[in-house]
Amino acid sequence: DQQVKQNSPSLSVQEGRISILNCDYTNSMFDYFLWYKKYPAEGPTFLISISSIKDKNEDGRFTVFLNKSAKHLSLHIVPSQPGDSAVYFCAASGLAGGGNKLTFGTGTQLKVEL
Amino acid sequence: NAGVTQTPKFQVLKTGQSMTLQCAQDMNHNSMYWYRQDPGMGLRLIYYSASEGTTDKGEVPNGYNVSRLNKREFSLRLESAAPSQTSVYFCASSHRDLSNYGYTFGSGTRLTVV
């Protein structure tokens, strides 16, 4: 049972354009969401997070949107740069339930082309 | 550099052999985790330790054991390796409340079981 889903295994965008990565979840107990970026042969690194009390969080070129009614979040990267080419994982946690375990999606490979 | 250190980085085992993956963190985090990454499967939780002295099963614990040696160290043991355990293993640590940035990951151990 995949509680966090990233339905697009890959995404290709041109440099300077917007990249939109999507993530859906099924567990209504999730109340904290994060995005991680992973380069080959490295561990994932934290990118941005959002609590369920918000619907948007912005950090420089990265913005995460949360639609709780649709159980959907998205990561926007504007403008996209070649260095953004990586695998992006969304993750979710049910902090209200007392847990700090993260459930990860399957990842989306982003390729930013020149 | 502060962070999560995993050893070894690469390992090839024969079916039936045993080995221990080592993980240490120097960020004074309470919680530590072991994940495996497989193509198309994302990151799946094997075991975690919410605090020193406690360990719990994650999503895919079969064939593994763990030891939380102290607050800094969390090891993962394969008693009798199987080809299905060929994967990339990541150790991570966090504060108990995930404190804004969630997990800090190590750089991974690439394990091949032949």
Side-chain angles (χ1 to χ4, degrees):
Chain A
D1 178 27
Q2 191 75 27
Q3 297 187 68
V4 179
K5 302 177 184 179
Q6 294 176 258
N7 292 319
S8 297
S10 63
L11 175 67
S12 183
V13 299
Q14 284 192 318
E15 182 181 11
R17 307 294 285 266
I18 184 172
S19 296
I20 300 176
L21 293 84
N22 294 303
C23 180
D24 297 293
Y25 61 96
T26 59
N27 190 338
S28 58
M29 294 299 292
F30 288 149
D31 57 8
Y32 189 58
F33 304 90
L34 307 90
W35 285 93
Y36 285 81
K37 179 168 71 174
K38 186 185 178 304
Y39 293 118
E42 295 183 9
T45 56
F46 171 77
L47 191 58
I48 193 169
S49 64
I50 188 167
S51 166
S52 61
I53 62 174
K54 297 183 176 181
D55 55 18
K56 176 183 174 181
N57 189 27
E58 192 171 356
D59 183 1
R61 296 187 296 114
F62 303 91
T63 303
V64 57
F65 295 92
L66 176 62
N67 182 335
K68 290 185 291 294
S69 61
K71 293 190 176 67
H72 177 83
L73 64 155
S74 62
L75 174 68
H76 293 208
I77 306 173
V78 183
S80 300
Q81 299 174 354
D84 296 329
S85 296
V87 177
Y88 289 78
F89 291 100
C90 69
S93 175
L95 293 180
N100 55 359
K101 296 178 293 180
L102 289 179
T103 300
F104 286 84
T106 51
T108 296
Q109 173 77 59
L110 174 65
K111 183 177 180 181
V112 180
E113 299 173 318
L114 297 173
Chain B
N1 290 338
V4 178
T5 303
Q6 289 184 237
T7 55
K9 293 190 181 301
F10 301 94
Q11 184 71 50
V12 178
L13 290 179
K14 294 182 178 179
T15 298
Q17 286 186 318
S18 63
M19 78 163 295
T20 300
L21 282 66
Q22 306 287 352
C23 175
Q25 54 91 9
D26 58 5
M27 295 171 289
N28 201 35
H29 284 165
N30 295 105
S31 303
M32 299 186 73
Y33 317 83
W34 278 104
Y35 282 83
R36 60 178 288 175
Q37 183 193 7
D38 302 291
M41 303 293 287
L43 292 158
R44 293 182 294 168
L45 182 63
I46 305 171
Y47 270 93
Y48 68 102
S49 172
S51 60
E52 186 178 356
T54 68
T55 61
D56 285 288
K57 295 178 180 179
E59 181 185 356
V60 289
N62 291 345
Y64 305 95
N65 285 300
V66 290
S67 295
R68 183 75 183 266
L69 305 171
N70 48 56
K71 191 171 186 179
R72 291 186 63 247
E73 299 172 286
F74 188 40
S75 63
L76 178 71
R77 182 161 178 83
L78 287 71
E79 291 290 353
S80 178
S84 61
Q85 294 177 305
T86 293
S87 187
V88 181
Y89 292 85
F90 290 101
C91 177
S93 68
S94 75
H95 291 295
R96 196 186 304 276
D97 64 357
L98 295 184
S99 291
N100 298 321
Y101 57 84
Y103 295 176
T104 300
F105 282 89
S107 58
T109 296
R110 184 173 294 274
L111 175 67
T112 302
V113 183
V114 297

